[in-house]
């Protein structure tokens, strides 16, 4: 008779087989699962992408449960998935579950801690790779967002990075975040723009603001070039922007005189040797059409009156770039040399003239910066007003606006909150006075919980403030401007340099010198 000797390896194999037999796989109703004791307490219930994924695609990774003495399933791992599935539902109403023997408390706690502590999310470079693979399969950006429950801006950013090799390499190396990489990818074809973005990043300023300035400047150059081509099509000898920049002088013929010290008649300007046309932009300030004595209306309507905003328009100006060849000369003598600028009032010293030109350059630069910042700020505010929970300190801001009856809020209330509609992505009601009452009522009644009501009221307050801002804000900032913008900064908004003026901060030097626009305006305006 031969004795059977069981080796340690055989024993381990038998135990493993027994453990496997003790496990089961089942599909369970998440509402029937008992939530056992768990070391994790923060389930991040407001993570909307996760909730959306569970609702649309179900629980993809099985949870782990055991049966208690009463035969009920008690959760061991997968608390967040189970709770969310019970709240939002799944396509089948069930979730996959791995049923294991009941562990002792020490093993349970240890396993739960290991699962949460050592869990690592996907790197942003891996997200980009995954999005790229889906796109190559023909999946649209909208479908990628739906399938993965990744928000659409992140999907768009990932797709942008896949088309920019240099930027993608920087993302892979960890030099850029995905949000930063999306901005660099947009301008990768423009070395000067990339250099400005690098400077902005190095000085820890807002890339979003600098990127918007680059977009606006590009749009302005395109508009300028289109106007040049339009006038050239009419037969005018128009200088391009490059020709203006290369010229030693650009002098208006209307400010020059003949050898006899006589102004040249306008009809003779095109006949001047070397005469060209320079397209400049001039500010137009509409006359105030409101006349208190002649206008009919109530006092309330009079107080609500606002003058028309000034605007810029293209003006073709006849100029010469070579004074000696033109046969003309400056008023008071002299025949050439350097670029002539508008010297302003007679008797003005050179120091005073330069100070005035410098101020003009500052105003032009800050006005452009403000217009760009407004685009970025309103996009950020749209995300703020979409929140379900108000940020810390919101109640104090609301209280101050309501109790003090700040004019921005009272004005918005009188006009049925048009900017609030814009930020919420709702069409602004139009019509006679009182239009929008029903729409405002819908917004208010939709906020049926205390948290929602607070958030909706905050949205109305910040939208009312935003409606009163403009290029005048950086010139004449108020205490309320500082109060609201300061709150936005506390809640995560990164202001541009020009916006920091509202906070009482001196703006730092820009990453680009805007003097070219001002000089061009001065030299031929």
């Amino acid at each position: 008779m031969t004795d059977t000797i069981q080796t340690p390896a055989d024993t381990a194999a038998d135990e493993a087989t027994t453990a496997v037999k003790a496990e089961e796989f089942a599909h369970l109703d998440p509402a029937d699962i008992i939530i056992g004791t768990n070391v994790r307490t923060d389930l991040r219930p407001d993570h909307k992408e996760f909730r959306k994924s569970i609702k649309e695609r179900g629980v993809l990774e099985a949870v782990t449960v055991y049966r208690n003495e009463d035969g009920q399933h008690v959760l061991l791992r997968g608390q967040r998935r189970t709770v969310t599935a019970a709240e939002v539902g799944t396509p089948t109403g069930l979730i996959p579950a791995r049923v294991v023997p009941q562990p002792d408390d020490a093993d349970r706690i240890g396993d739960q801690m290991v699962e949460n502590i050592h869990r690592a999310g996907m790197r942003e470079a891996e997200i980009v790779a995954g999005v790229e693979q889906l796109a190559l399969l023909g999946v649209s950006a909208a479908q990628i967002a739906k399938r993965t429950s990744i928000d659409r801006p992140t999907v768009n950013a990932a797709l942008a990075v896949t088309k920019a090799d240099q930027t993608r390499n920087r993302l892979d190396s960890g030099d850029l975040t995905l949000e930063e990489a999306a901005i660099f990818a947009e301008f990768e074809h423009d070395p000067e723009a990339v250099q400005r973005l690098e400077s902005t990043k190095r000085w820890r300023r807002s890339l979003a603001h600098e990127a918007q300035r680059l977009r606006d400047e590009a749009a302005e150059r395109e508009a300028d070039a289109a106007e040049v081509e339009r006038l050239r099509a009419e037969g005018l000898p128009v200088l391009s922007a490059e020709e203006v920049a290369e010229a030693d002088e650009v002098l208006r013929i209307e400010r020059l005189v003949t050898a006899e010290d006589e102004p040249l008649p306008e009809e003779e300007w095109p006949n001047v040797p070397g005469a060209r046309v320079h397209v400049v932009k001039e500010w137009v300030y509409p006359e105030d059409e409101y006349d208190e004595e002649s206008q009919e209306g109530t006092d309330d309507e009079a107080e609500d009156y606002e003058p028309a905003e000034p605007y810029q328009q293209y003006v073709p100006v006849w100029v010469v770039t070579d004074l000696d060849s033109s046969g003309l000369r400056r008023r008071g003598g002299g025949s050439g040399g350097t670029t002539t600028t508008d010297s302003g009032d007679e008797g003005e010293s050179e120091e005073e003239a330069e100070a005035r030109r410098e101020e003009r350059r500052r105003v032009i630069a800050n006005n452009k910066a403000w217009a760009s910042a407004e685009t970025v700020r309103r996009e950020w505010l749209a995300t703020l007003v979409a929140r379900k929970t108000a940020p810390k300190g919101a109640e104090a801001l609301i209280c101050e606006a309501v109790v003090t009856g700040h004019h921005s809020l009272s004005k918005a209330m009188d006009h049925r909150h048009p900017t609030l509609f814009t930020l919420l992505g709702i069409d602004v009601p139009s019509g006679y006075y009182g239009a929008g009452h029903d729409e405002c009522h819908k917004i208010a009644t939709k906020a049926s919980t205390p948290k929602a009501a607070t958030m909706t009221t905050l949205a109305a307050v910040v939208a009312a403030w935003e409606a009163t801002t403009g290029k005048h804000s950086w010139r004449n900032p108020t205490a309320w401007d500082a109060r609201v913008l300061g709150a936005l900064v506390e809640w995560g908004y990164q202001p541009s340099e020009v916006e920091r003026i509202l906070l009482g901060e001196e703006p730092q030097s820009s990453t680009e010198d805007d003097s070219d626009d001002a000089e061009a305006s001065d030299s031929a305006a």
Side-chain angles (χ1 to χ4, degrees):
M1 182 174 181
T2 304
D3 294 331
T4 302
I5 302 174
Q6 192 168 29
T7 66
D10 294 331
T11 303
D14 290 343
E15 291 177 351
T17 302
T18 302
V20 170
K21 291 180 179 179
E23 292 184 4
E24 301 175 20
F25 190 83
H27 284 85
L28 307 175
D29 184 338
D32 293 338
I33 298 175
I34 298 174
I35 306 300
T37 306
N38 199 301
V39 295
R40 181 168 185 166
T41 58
D42 182 10
L43 302 182
R44 297 179 65 191
D46 58 343
H47 197 290
K48 62 180 181 180
E49 286 80 16
F50 182 72
R51 295 170 66 87
K52 181 180 178 183
S53 173
I54 295 290
K55 184 176 182 179
E56 294 183 356
R57 298 183 60 79
V59 173
L60 303 180
E61 182 180 351
V63 301
T64 304
V65 301
Y66 69 87
R67 287 193 181 89
N68 62 14
E69 296 176 353
D70 297 325
Q72 299 170 305
H73 291 102
V74 181
L75 189 70
L76 279 173
R77 291 184 291 277
Q79 181 179 6
R80 186 164 177 249
R81 282 166 281 164
T82 303
V83 171
T84 302
E87 290 179 355
V88 303
T90 68
T92 64
L94 305 175
I95 64 173
R98 174 171 165 252
V99 185
V100 300
Q102 181 176 355
D104 59 34
D105 285 343
D107 287 339
R108 174 186 60 78
I109 295 172
D111 290 346
Q112 289 174 349
M113 291 185 67
V114 167
E115 179 189 25
N116 288 283
I117 292 175
H118 300 294
R119 175 184 293 150
M122 291 184 69
R123 293 173 57 241
E124 290 183 321
E126 294 169 334
I127 294 175
V128 171
V131 168
E132 181 181 37
Q133 291 172 35
L134 288 171
L136 290 174
L137 292 173
V139 183
S140 67
Q143 284 298 316
I144 291 174
K146 184 175 182 180
R147 284 173 176 267
T148 62
S149 293
I150 299 174
D151 62 83
R152 184 62 182 273
T154 300
V155 172
N156 292 341
L159 290 173
V161 172
T162 62
K163 302 172 184 177
D165 294 339
Q166 295 179 11
T167 301
R168 185 167 185 175
N169 290 337
R170 295 182 63 183
L171 174 68
D172 292 342
S173 68
D175 184 42
L176 298 174
T177 66
L178 179 55
E179 183 179 3
E180 292 172 340
I183 293 175
F184 274 89
E186 180 181 350
F187 299 97
E188 187 170 293
H189 64 284
D190 186 344
E192 292 184 4
V194 171
Q195 185 176 5
R196 283 176 56 177
L197 292 172
E198 293 286 7
S199 177
T200 299
K201 186 175 186 296
R202 183 168 60 253
W203 289 99
R204 297 183 180 180
R205 298 173 183 167
S206 170
L207 281 174
H209 284 292
E210 189 63 31
Q212 189 58 46
R213 288 196 66 183
L214 288 167
R215 296 184 195 106
D216 291 344
E217 289 165 12
E220 185 176 19
R221 288 193 298 270
E222 290 179 7
D224 293 348
E227 181 65 12
V228 167
E229 291 304 315
R230 186 186 72 81
L231 292 176
R232 283 179 174 175
E234 294 180 0
L236 293 176
V238 184
L239 291 166
S240 68
E242 292 76 14
E243 289 172 323
V244 172
E246 294 172 358
D248 291 331
E249 54 188 5
V250 180
L251 308 175
R252 286 191 181 212
I253 295 178
E254 65 182 292
R255 293 179 181 168
L256 304 176
V257 294
T258 64
E260 292 77 26
D261 280 335
E262 295 292 334
L264 190 68
E266 184 173 348
E267 60 270 18
E268 295 295 327
W269 293 353
N271 300 324
V272 172
R276 303 290 294 276
V277 171
H278 180 204
V279 180
V280 300
K281 282 181 287 190
E282 294 185 349
W283 282 100
V284 176
Y285 296 88
E287 292 186 5
D288 193 345
E289 299 177 357
Y290 176 75
D291 186 334
E292 187 174 346
E293 295 181 358
S294 62
Q295 285 282 356
E296 296 180 0
T298 65
D299 291 339
D300 289 340
E301 291 174 338
E303 291 178 0
D304 207 30
Y305 169 76
E306 291 184 0
E309 285 285 331
Y311 60 92
Q312 284 185 304
Q313 68 178 14
Y314 289 106
V315 178
V317 177
W318 282 95
V319 299
V320 293
T321 58
D322 187 343
L323 188 58
D324 291 337
S325 299
S326 72
L328 302 174
R329 63 181 184 176
R330 296 183 176 88
R331 295 179 187 273
S335 61
T338 60
T339 302
T340 297
T341 58
D342 182 9
S343 60
D345 298 333
E346 294 184 7
E348 184 180 41
S349 69
E350 181 58 33
E351 291 77 10
E352 292 171 333
E354 179 56 33
R356 180 180 53 78
R357 289 193 291 269
E358 179 60 32
E359 175 60 17
R360 186 174 184 180
R361 285 192 288 267
R362 187 180 76 92
V363 169
I364 290 174
N366 282 353
N367 280 348
K368 289 183 177 181
W370 184 270
S372 298
E374 183 177 276
T375 300
V376 177
R377 188 176 62 252
R378 292 197 173 190
E379 289 177 355
W380 188 89
L381 287 174
T383 63
L384 174 70
V385 301
R387 290 180 51 159
K388 297 184 181 298
T389 305
K392 183 179 179 181
E395 296 85 356
L397 184 68
I398 294 170
C399 179
E400 186 173 346
V402 173
V403 174
T404 62
H406 197 272
H407 73 87
S408 63
L409 183 57
S410 59
K411 180 179 178 181
M413 293 170 68
D414 288 341
H415 290 80
R416 310 298 184 193
H417 301 281
T419 305
L420 176 61
F421 280 88
T422 300
L423 294 179
L424 291 174
I426 303 173
D427 291 336
V428 179
S430 60
Y432 294 102
Y433 183 79
H437 177 273
D438 292 342
E439 289 82 355
C440 285
H441 187 261
K442 291 178 182 178
I443 293 174
T445 54
K446 186 178 179 180
S448 56
T449 65
K451 287 184 178 180
T454 301
M455 189 62 235
T456 299
T457 310
L458 174 65
V461 170
V462 296
W465 169 76
E466 176 62 30
T468 62
T469 62
K471 294 175 182 176
H472 63 276
S473 299
W474 72 263
R475 295 192 190 96
N476 301 292
T478 67
W480 186 243
D481 290 333
R483 175 72 175 90
V484 178
L485 183 60
L488 299 183
V489 171
E490 289 182 3
W491 299 334
Y493 179 66
Q494 186 176 2
S496 65
E497 294 302 303
V498 71
E499 288 173 305
R500 291 186 180 279
I501 296 176
L502 276 61
L503 302 174
E505 301 178 18
E506 287 295 326
Q508 302 176 26
S509 59
S510 172
T511 54
E512 177 181 331
D513 185 1
D514 293 286
S515 60
D516 290 345
D517 290 324
E519 290 292 357
S521 179
D522 277 333
S523 62

